[in-house]
């Protein structure tokens, strides 16, 4: 089945589902007094952010299944049903969850559902280390502590506007959550301060870690995948191997849930040491998933830098 045929079949299922639901159900009213806000989220980190912001004062609803790969996700009828029953949706909005807008459109919520753009207050950066030299905004702001805190406060501000009765509690929770994230970063800042970062060179299989890298003054010399989930051509792979050798790269970061296999031929051809980082887009949705994954990522990053000091 071709991609276009798959899309037509998907839309036929979506339309059939919509015809079964009265039009009045297509627009969720604002929560009445005493009713908990239902907050939809598109990505795992946003589940953690919102869960920590709202505590038990609102309900967090994941728009797609926890095990789904958000990079090439195709909307399903169950997603549309969930979109019909949320009061607001938190999105990345800069390239990592475009499928969410297909879902809310199919649910008839395009004109009625409040959207929180989590990155509205984040200083965005381009993808680094690409082969074509084209500057494209990097959407992976959630793999970071600084950008994560900025998103937490933006989400908190917007939720307070939608749910003023709980705005003060949301702000208090956000401050406590941000303090934990800052403490996590501070511990690693102390560790990195003892290292010589001037000669560190790395490559990544996927352009997902630039925000985290820049927090510690590190930069990516080469990216293997032309786009996430898209294997490089033989020419692109050869160009990357050449760039790694010329830049004296000693470390390659692979995405542990998706691209470790891609790292093997690079390792064999260049002698780089492979380290695995989390993209925070798998496992189960949980309030502590972001903190756990970022602690592991920062530990791995520190170990990689320490490896190059030997």
């Amino acid at each position: 089945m071709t991609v276009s045929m798959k899309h037509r079949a998907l839309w036929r299922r979506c339309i059939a589902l919509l015809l079964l639901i009265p039009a009045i159900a297509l627009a969720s009213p604002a929560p009445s007094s005493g009713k908990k806000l239902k907050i939809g989220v598109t990505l795992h980190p946003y589940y953690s952010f919102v869960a920590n912001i709202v505590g038990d004062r609102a309900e967090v609803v994941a728009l797609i299944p926890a095990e789904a790969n958000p990079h090439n996700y195709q909307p399903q009828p169950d997603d549309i049903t969930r979109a019909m029953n949320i009061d607001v949706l938190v999105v990345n909005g800069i390239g990592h969850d475009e499928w969410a807008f297909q879902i809310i459109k199919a649910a008839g919520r395009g004109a009625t559902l409040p959207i929180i753009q989590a990155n509205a207050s984040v200083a965005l950066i381009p993808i680094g280390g690409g082969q074509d030299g084209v500057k494209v905004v990097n959407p992976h702001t959630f793999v970071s502590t600084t950008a994560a805190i900025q998103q937490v406060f933006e989400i908190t501000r917007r939720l307070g506007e939608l749910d003023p009765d709980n705005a003060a509690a949301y702000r208090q929770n956000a401050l406590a959550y941000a303090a934990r994230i800052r403490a996590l970063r501070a511990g690693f800042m102390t560790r990195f301060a003892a290292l010589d970062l001037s000669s560190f060179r790395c490559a990544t299989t996927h352009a997902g870690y630039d925000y985290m890298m820049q927090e510690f003054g590190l930069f990516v010399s080469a990216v293997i995948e032309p786009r996430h989930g898209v294997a490089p051509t033989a020419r692109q792979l050869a160009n990357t191997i050449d760039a790694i050798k010329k830049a004296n790269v000693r470390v390659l970061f692979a995405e542990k849930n998706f691209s470790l296999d891609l790292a093997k031929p690079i390792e064999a051809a260049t002698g780089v040491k492979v380290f695995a980082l989390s993209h925070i887009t798998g496992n189960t949705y949980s309030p502590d998933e972001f903190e756990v994954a970022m602690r592991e990522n920062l530990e791995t990053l520190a170990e990689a830098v320490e490896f190059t000091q030997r």
Side-chain angles (χ1 to χ4, degrees), residues 76-130:
Q76 303 298 313
D78 285 348
D79 308 331
I80 299 171
T81 302
R82 283 187 285 271
M84 291 175 179
N85 293 288
I86 56 177
D87 300 308
V88 57
L89 180 63
V90 177
V91 301
N92 173 266
I94 54 173
H96 212 287
D97 50 14
E98 294 304 307
W99 39 263
F101 300 98
Q102 299 175 33
I103 292 170
I104 61 176
K105 181 178 180 180
R109 303 293 306 282
T112 61
L113 183 66
I115 301 294
I116 295 179
Q117 299 280 351
N119 288 296
S121 301
V122 175
L124 303 176
I125 61 175
I127 289 174

Side-chain angles (χ1 to χ4, degrees), residues 26-200:
L26 297 181
S28 296
S32 59
S33 179
K35 179 184 174 184
K36 289 185 177 181
L37 201 68
K38 287 188 177 181
I39 307 165
V41 297
T42 58
L43 303 175
H44 284 254
Y46 295 147
Y47 188 98
S48 296
F49 296 171
V50 175
N52 280 280
I53 292 166
V54 303
D56 61 0
R57 291 174 181 259
E59 181 182 349
V60 188
V61 179
L63 194 59
I64 65 174
E67 68 279 4
N69 180 355
H71 301 97
N72 54 13
Y73 187 71
Q74 295 297 319
Q76 303 298 313
D78 285 348
D79 308 331
I80 299 171
T81 302
R82 283 187 285 271
M84 291 175 179
N85 293 288
I86 56 177
D87 300 308
V88 57
L89 180 63
V90 177
V91 301
N92 173 266
I94 54 173
H96 212 287
D97 50 14
E98 294 304 307
W99 39 263
F101 300 98
Q102 299 175 33
I103 292 170
I104 61 176
K105 181 178 180 180
R109 303 293 306 282
T112 61
L113 183 66
I115 301 294
I116 295 179
Q117 299 280 351
N119 288 296
S121 301
V122 175
L124 303 176
I125 61 175
I127 289 174
Q131 295 187 31
D132 53 14
V134 177
K135 297 297 182 184
V136 178
V137 170
N138 194 322
H140 303 89
T141 53
F142 46 83
V143 189
S144 161
T145 58
T146 300
I149 292 171
Q150 293 169 333
Q151 291 174 86
V152 166
F153 286 142
E154 178 64 23
I155 294 167
T156 302
R157 181 183 68 81
R158 290 294 314 282
L159 288 178
E161 294 173 352
L162 294 168
D163 187 10
D165 290 346
N166 288 307
Y170 294 162
R171 286 193 295 271
Q172 183 176 358
N173 291 344
L175 287 169
Y177 185 48
R180 295 205 306 272
I181 297 174
R182 286 195 188 97
L184 171 62
R185 181 180 62 210
F188 282 94
M189 284 291 186
T190 300
R191 184 169 170 181
F192 275 89
L195 301 173
D196 177 12
L197 307 180
S198 62
S199 61
F200 181 76

